Each structure stands twice: as C-alpha cells, then as structure tokens.
Amino acid sequence: MTVSVRDVAELAGVSVGTVSNVLNRPEKVSPATVARVTTAIERLGFVRNDAARQLRAGRSRTIGLVVLDVRNPFFTEVARGAEERAAERGLSVLLANSDEKTERELTYLDLFEEQRVAGILVTPVAENMPRLRLLRDRGIPVVLVDRESKDEAFASVAVDDVEGGRIAADHLLDQGRRRLAFVGGPVSIRQVSDRLEGAQRAVAEAGGTIEFIGTGALTVDEGRIAGQAIVAREPARRPDAVFAANDLLALGLLQSLVMAGDVRVPEDLALIGYDDIDFSAAAVIPLSSVRQPAKLIGSTSVDLLLSTTESDEAKRRHVVYTPELVARASSVL
Amino acid sequence: MTVSVRDVAELAGVSVGTVSNVLNRPEKVSPATVARVTTAIERLGFVRNDAARQLRAGRSRTIGLVVLDVRNPFFTEVARGAEERAAERGLSVLLANSDEKTERELTYLDLFEEQRVAGILVTPVAENMPRLRLLRDRGIPVVLVDRESKDEAFASVAVDDVEGGRIAADHLLDQGRRRLAFVGGPVSIRQVSDRLEGAQRAVAEAGGTIEFIGTGALTVDEGRIAGQAIVAREPARRPDAVFAANDLLALGLLQSLVMAGDVRVPEDLALIGYDDIDFSAAAVIPLSSVRQPAKLIGSTSVDLLLSTTESDEAKRRHVVYTPELVARASSVL
DNA sequence: CTGTTAGCGCCTTCAC
DNA sequence: GTGAAGGCGCTAACAG
C-alpha cells in the first residue's frame, strides 16, 4: 500500500542511501541517477513520511504557536507573520488557541512537547511560567509573544503596553477629556494590567480621573455589555472618554453607545481601542486605536526562536516595540 | 538527554512492553506496577514521542484543514467547530490558510500528505480536484468543506449557496428594491458563483435587474473599493440594493457608502452580506446577512471524515445545510 | 559517486 | 501479568 524509499530504490536500481541523497543532497548524485530516481518516485507516487524523518532527526520542523484568541484579528495577523517567516525557513506553524484558559494552554503545551516541536511561541494566559520553564529546560526553545518576560528567563517579543496605555490616555487627555474610564479584563492578563497602569500614570500626571470597568474577556460581546452599563447611567455620571483594552471591546462598546441614541461619539464620549485591527478602520465611526506591529511581532518571534537555538545568550534576548497612536473619528472632534 | 520508554522501564524495574501497556492499556497491568511505572515517568519527566508513535501507527492523529482565508471570521468559526469535535475524538487540527491561492493550497496538501494526516478537510480554491482525488486514492480521507462536490467523488459538507443567494435577493426584492447589484469575486470560487446564480434566479422570477460588480477577493479592502466605485456614479445610476458575496465585502462597502455622506443605508441603498460574522451585528449600522452554521459545518466535517474511514459508502455522503436570513437595519427601513 | 548498515522511540505480537 | 524481539521509514555515517 504505502510506498517507501526502498521501493523507489528497487525500481530505480539503486540503494536506499542514494534515494535519500537525491531527496536531500541532489548535488552529490550524478544527474543520470537523479533522473532515474526521480522517475521512479513519480511512477510510484512516493511521498516522504514525515514521522520517520522526525523520529530520525529527533525534532520536528514545526513551530507551535499558542495565542489567547484566534478570533481576534490581532492574533491572526501575528500568526500570519510567524507563518510567513517560518515558511521562509522551511518550517511550518501549528496554531493553537488557548481561549484565555490556563487549562487549554497546558493541553496544547503537552501536545507540542509530544510532537517535539522545533520551538514554542506563546502568549501565556497567566502565571503559567513553571510549565514553560520546564519545557525550556528540556531543550525546547520558548519565546514569549506580546508579553515581556519579567523573570528574564525567556526570550520575548513584546510591545510596551504601559507606554501604549499612556499613549491612549494622553490622547484622550489632549482632547480635553478628564473623566476617563478604562474598560477591560481580566486583569490577570498582563496586557490588560499594563495598559491600565500606563493610562493611570498618564492621568495622574495630567490631572483627571480614571475609573476601571472590568470585563470577563476581551470580546465584542463583553464590550457591548460594558457599553450598556455606561448607557444605563445618568448622563452626568458617564465618563467623557473610554479607553478599551482592545478593539474587540471597543467595537462592542461603540455599538451599545450608538444604539442607545443619546450618547454621541466622540462629542459626548471619546473612544479609543487597542490593536488597530482591520475592522476598526472599517467601522462606520472609524475607531481610534493604538497600533501594534502584529505581523512584525510574529516574524520577529520566529527569528528569535531560531537564534535561540544557536547561541545561549540569545535565549534572553528581548525585543520591545513601541506602539503608535492611530487617531480617527471616534476620539477626535 | 531525551528520556525514552527504555529509561522508564529500567528505573521502574520492568520491561518496555509493560511501560507501553501502562501508557495505553493500564487496565491490563497490576495496580502496583502501574504505580511504579507512573512514578518513574514523573521522576524522569518522560514525554511520549509522537513521531515514533505515528511511524509505528502509520498515520498521525492530526487532521489537516485548509481554508480560503483565516482572517475571515467565518472560517475561524468553522475551524473552532472542527477543532472541538476533533478534540473529543482525541485528534488535533492543523489549520492552514490558502489565501485563495491554488499554489498555496497545493503546498499545504503536500505537507499534509507527508505528515500522513488522518484526513483532510478542505475548501478548495478552484478546480484543483485531481490532486484531491489522488490524495483520496492513496488512502487519505478527504472531505470538502463549504462546497458541494459536483463529481460525487468526495464526501462534503456544504450550505446551499444558490438558495442563500436567492434568500438574499428575495429579501431585497421584498423590500421593494428592483435595481440590484451583486458585489463579489473572483467567480472561480464556487461560493461566489452560486450565490450570484441564486440571486439572478430570484430577480428573474420577481422582476428587476441585477448587475455584477466584480472584486479581486473577498476582503474588506475590496469592498471599500467597490463602494467607492458605486459612490462615484451619479445617483440615478446607482443600484438601490446591494448583495455582497460575504460580510467582509459588505463591511467595506458600508464604510465607503457612509463616508461618502450622500448615500443613506438603507434608505437609498439596502445592503446585505453573507456569513453573519460577529462583526456584522456589531457594525454601527447592523448588517443584514445570510447566516451559515459555521461551527456546525466544522464539526460535521470532522464527523464525516471519521465515518469515511469506517465505511466505504460514507465516502460519498453529502450534508447540505440551508442558510438563514438575518435581517437587520442595513436592509430594512 | 554509490551501497550497506545501524539505529531514532514506540508498539505489538508471541512466549512465558 | 510480564518480558523479549522485530520493525515502522528514514537518514547519516562509513565503506567501497
């Protein structure tokens, strides 16, 4: 049923070693032999068995990527960046979705370890570091994505979220707003707490107030719920500006606010999100946001991962990008 | 460096066969031995090598899924459906993105074949059938996703796109519209041509006209471009209703139209999309759409794939879901 | 330049 | 209930 190198060798009248050479180092084989072997491969419909290669190599040619939410376009962009760079290096990317759940993250980490992946790219849910350290100690390179590593134990590619939070808040303050609200959660996600912290600092410096409105997840639905809560308040008690922890939340908020009818964006309430996903520019009231170089984050992660394998000091390398304000109609009069 | 069953066996004072049994059929081993082996596994930090298992088994425990566009939330929903069902069956899903390009599709198909995946779920770009037939003939189950198989050679899970097109157009006609436009492309994608066909039939029956406005891909950007083209026309020459081949296009269209200022949605132009992605309900002018049961499509595909392995007649099974109208503000006065 | 050979780590008979 | 042995398909020495 299944065609192996042995069958190919037999048909071509050469040895299996030669077939392997044709496959992997054709320049070491005479053109005539290459041709014979190639013909045999085609005639037989031979396809390499990757499992056998991996077993031999001791490691697979796949990189595992665990993200918080595949439905968030920001992460699919990161994935695309990683995928493209990996493809250039002859590797493929296995995309896994933790859904912000520690348990799911662990399941995928186990799976990846069983597969002896070439490396793991992960945006950890919470303080799940022991497992990651174990992975690293067992020889699997780990790179933290979109998350600076506090303990310096891992290479990481991140965006300065504290700075991003400050940028967002500063922008709202520059527009003359003073009663800010931060919508986001859970705070156990570092991105959320950092952005909040940056915003708080900006407000502390410029004068003004910032209240915290918690959400259960970073989704459109949760944004919608938070928006309804704001609309339900009497006008005087509403914030005059909202900074949402990501664009999904901001889009949900926007919908609730506009549907309510009596909250005008940006006149009554300026709104800014985070990530600058495609849908933000396409929103009918285009959404201001803080842009992160998503694709670049993905490709850089792969680069770091691969250099990690080479040198030891690379293991601790950290790349931090600075986010960028994208001001649109939702926050500018 | 790497710990194998042999090491575990040694430490536990048993043979490798017993370790294997503990791993795969613990009920066949005495509790005491199980305990000893388990302890040894933990002490050593043993992790199964999946490549070796696969090599032995001759097939992997992974399903390959090739979609047209990972950035389209419809497909990520399909993927989630597939993933969940696969997980229940102890399989994992490898998600690949063809970006509507035949070449990329072929690359992934090759990759999957080398990996001896348990099966392939694919939304083919175009008439790439010969390669798929080959795969199937070599023993890899193939299920066509979101695409009815014309030649009956493959199992498939689809939504009746002709009917969906009719539903969309009928809805617009019911609203009293008569000068329709269909925005979408390329028509080499079956979903596009089918939806167009359904719409054309509906128009033919009810009276009215429908023009075709082609796009290069099914993306927000292309929708925006098409929208600008419509806005550029003098008002009398604009359609009074637009049916977009998917929600991404519709969202892009919506943005162009609204930004233009002089086209009111739905008063001057009613708009309906297709897929009912999350962002559609969240749009500030909520978008009407034709809903497809995305998650169900994914999970059913996996079911079909697995039953394909069991019986031969299952190979030709076809599941067709009927889409459903979701009328929102963008098309209803 | 080509052939031979020895495993990679696991699982599954087949004996005991 | 447990142990020993063979082999899945491939590649990288090492000979020739």
Side-chain angles (χ1 to χ4, degrees):
Chain A
M1 184 69 234
T2 162
V3 185
S4 80
V5 276
R6 189 150 31 234
D7 303 312
V8 174
E10 197 172 326
L11 179 61
V14 298
S15 76
V16 292
T18 302
V19 175
S20 176
N21 279 334
V22 170
L23 255 22
N24 303 298
R25 281 172 301 292
E27 72 282 1
K28 302 234 161 206
V29 182
S30 77
T33 322
V34 171
R36 283 226 309 293
V37 172
T38 309
T39 315
I41 286 176
E42 276 165 16
R43 287 257 302 280
L44 261 22
F46 166 77
V47 175
R48 288 220 283 249
N49 183 322
D50 197 52
R53 298 184 76 192
Q54 281 182 210
L55 179 57
R56 188 83 230 298
R59 182 115 302 176
S60 91
R61 304 195 54 67
T62 297
I63 291 173
L65 169 58
V66 188
V67 301
L68 293 176
D69 180 11
V70 273
R71 294 148 98 181
N72 185 339
F74 168 71
F75 286 114
T76 64
E77 272 306 289
V78 171
R80 283 170 63 90
E83 194 182 38
E84 278 177 22
R85 180 56 48 88
E88 288 168 16
R89 303 270 191 283
L91 299 166
S92 48
V93 173
L94 199 50
L95 180 60
N97 177 212
S98 68
D99 249 338
E100 303 180 3
K101 297 194 183 69
T102 307
E103 198 189 302
R104 286 186 54 127
E105 181 177 306
L106 286 174
T107 303
Y108 280 114
L109 257 19
D110 288 346
L111 189 70
F112 288 154
E113 189 174 11
E114 287 195 0
Q115 297 189 167
R116 301 292 190 273
V117 292
I120 293 179
L121 266 25
V122 56
T123 302
V125 176
E127 301 306 336
N128 197 353
M129 293 297 133
R131 180 75 180 91
L132 293 176
R133 218 167 286 131
L134 192 62
L135 246 22
R136 187 205 49 192
D137 292 344
R138 286 187 187 150
I140 301 188
V142 173
V143 173
L144 266 25
V145 179
D146 193 36
R147 169 86 130 78
E148 223 174 329
S149 69
K150 218 184 214 162
D151 57 11
E152 297 280 320
F154 299 97
S156 69
V157 179
V159 174
D160 188 338
D161 280 314
V162 175
E163 179 61 20
R166 177 192 297 276
I167 288 172
D170 273 342
H171 170 66
L172 296 174
L173 293 162
D174 283 349
Q175 302 299 311
R177 312 290 169 148
R178 284 297 174 272
R179 299 194 320 284
L180 275 55
F182 174 86
V183 173
V187 286
S188 60
I189 296 178
R190 178 77 68 83
Q191 286 88 330
V192 174
S193 54
D194 281 0
R195 290 168 198 174
L196 172 58
E197 185 186 329
Q200 284 170 330
R201 285 196 206 159
V203 170
E205 286 167 18
T209 60
I210 182 163
E211 68 171 309
F212 171 70
I213 299 177
T215 62
L218 302 168
T219 61
V220 174
D221 266 348
E222 288 284 335
R224 220 173 288 159
I225 292 168
Q228 284 158 357
I230 291 173
V231 168
R233 300 183 187 177
E234 50 183 297
R237 308 202 55 231
R238 293 176 191 152
D240 62 7
V242 170
F243 167 30
N246 80 357
D247 281 358
L248 261 29
L249 285 172
L251 254 14
L253 277 160
L254 189 60
Q255 192 200 14
S256 299
L257 298 176
V258 172
M259 291 225 331
D262 67 335
V263 181
R264 292 168 304 163
V265 176
E267 292 83 351
D268 303 327
L269 189 154
L271 179 64
I272 186 166
Y274 207 104
D275 287 345
D276 192 32
I277 63 177
D278 276 353
F279 295 101
S280 301
V284 176
I285 297 182
L287 186 67
S288 297
S289 196
V290 177
R291 176 183 298 156
Q292 312 196 73
K295 253 182 128 168
L296 184 59
I297 292 172
S299 58
T300 306
S301 301
V302 172
D303 287 339
L304 262 194
L305 190 73
L306 298 179
S307 65
T308 289
T309 325
E310 290 154 14
S311 84
D312 228 44
E313 77 183 74
K315 281 187 184 137
R316 322 234 156 164
R317 213 184 302 164
H318 301 288
V319 176
V320 179
Y321 292 111
T322 302
E324 188 185 336
L325 176 70
V326 182
R328 297 202 183 89
S330 74
S331 65
V332 181
L333 275 178
Chain B
M1 184 70 235
T2 162
V3 184
S4 81
V5 276
R6 188 148 36 232
D7 303 311
V8 174
E10 198 173 324
L11 179 60
V14 298
S15 77
V16 292
T18 302
V19 175
S20 177
N21 279 334
V22 171
L23 255 21
N24 303 299
R25 281 175 298 302
E27 72 282 1
K28 300 234 163 208
V29 183
S30 75
T33 324
V34 170
R36 282 223 312 291
V37 171
T38 309
T39 316
I41 287 176
E42 277 166 16
R43 286 260 303 279
L44 260 23
F46 165 78
V47 176
R48 287 219 280 244
N49 183 321
D50 197 51
R53 298 185 75 191
Q54 281 182 210
L55 178 56
R56 187 83 230 300
R59 182 115 303 176
S60 91
R61 305 193 54 67
T62 298
I63 292 174
L65 169 59
V66 189
V67 301
L68 294 175
D69 180 11
V70 272
R71 294 149 96 180
N72 184 337
F74 168 72
F75 286 115
T76 63
E77 272 305 290
V78 172
R80 283 170 61 91
E83 195 182 38
E84 278 177 21
R85 180 56 48 89
E88 289 168 15
R89 302 269 191 283
L91 298 165
S92 48
V93 173
L94 200 49
L95 180 60
N97 176 212
S98 69
D99 248 338
E100 302 180 6
K101 297 195 183 71
T102 307
E103 198 189 302
R104 285 185 56 124
E105 181 176 306
L106 285 174
T107 304
Y108 280 114
L109 256 19
D110 288 347
L111 189 71
F112 287 154
E113 189 173 12
E114 288 194 358
Q115 297 190 167
R116 302 291 191 274
V117 292
I120 293 179
L121 265 26
V122 56
T123 302
V125 176
E127 300 307 335
N128 197 352
M129 293 298 134
R131 180 74 179 92
L132 293 177
R133 218 168 285 129
L134 192 61
L135 245 22
R136 186 204 48 191
D137 293 345
R138 286 188 188 149
I140 301 189
V142 174
V143 173
L144 266 25
V145 179
D146 194 35
R147 169 87 131 77
E148 222 174 329
S149 69
K150 217 183 213 161
D151 58 10
E152 297 282 321
F154 300 96
S156 68
V157 179
V159 174
D160 187 338
D161 280 315
V162 175
E163 179 61 19
R166 177 192 295 276
I167 288 171
D170 272 343
H171 170 66
L172 297 173
L173 293 163
D174 283 350
Q175 302 298 312
R177 312 290 168 148
R178 283 296 173 273
R179 301 195 317 284
L180 274 55
F182 174 86
V183 173
V187 285
S188 60
I189 296 178
R190 178 77 68 82
Q191 286 87 331
V192 174
S193 54
D194 280 1
R195 290 168 199 175
L196 173 57
E197 185 185 329
Q200 285 170 329
R201 285 196 205 157
V203 170
E205 286 167 17
T209 61
I210 182 162
E211 69 170 310
F212 171 71
I213 300 176
T215 62
L218 302 168
T219 60
V220 174
D221 266 348
E222 288 283 335
R224 221 173 288 160
I225 293 168
Q228 283 158 359
I230 291 174
V231 168
R233 300 182 186 177
E234 49 183 297
R237 308 200 55 231
R238 292 175 192 154
D240 62 7
V242 170
F243 168 31
N246 79 358
D247 281 357
L248 261 29
L249 285 172
L251 254 13
L253 276 160
L254 190 60
Q255 191 199 15
S256 298
L257 298 176
V258 172
M259 292 223 332
D262 68 333
V263 181
R264 293 168 304 164
V265 176
E267 291 82 352
D268 302 328
L269 190 153
L271 179 63
I272 185 167
Y274 206 104
D275 287 346
D276 192 32
I277 62 177
D278 276 354
F279 295 101
S280 301
V284 176
I285 297 183
L287 187 67
S288 297
S289 195
V290 177
R291 175 182 300 157
Q292 312 196 73
K295 255 183 126 168
L296 185 60
I297 290 173
S299 57
T300 306
S301 301
V302 172
D303 287 338
L304 261 193
L305 189 74
L306 298 180
S307 66
T308 290
T309 325
E310 289 154 15
S311 84
D312 229 45
E313 78 184 70
K315 281 186 183 136
R316 321 234 156 165
R317 211 184 304 164
H318 302 288
V319 176
V320 178
Y321 292 111
T322 302
E324 186 186 336
L325 175 70
V326 181
R328 297 201 183 89
S330 73
S331 66
V332 181
L333 276 178

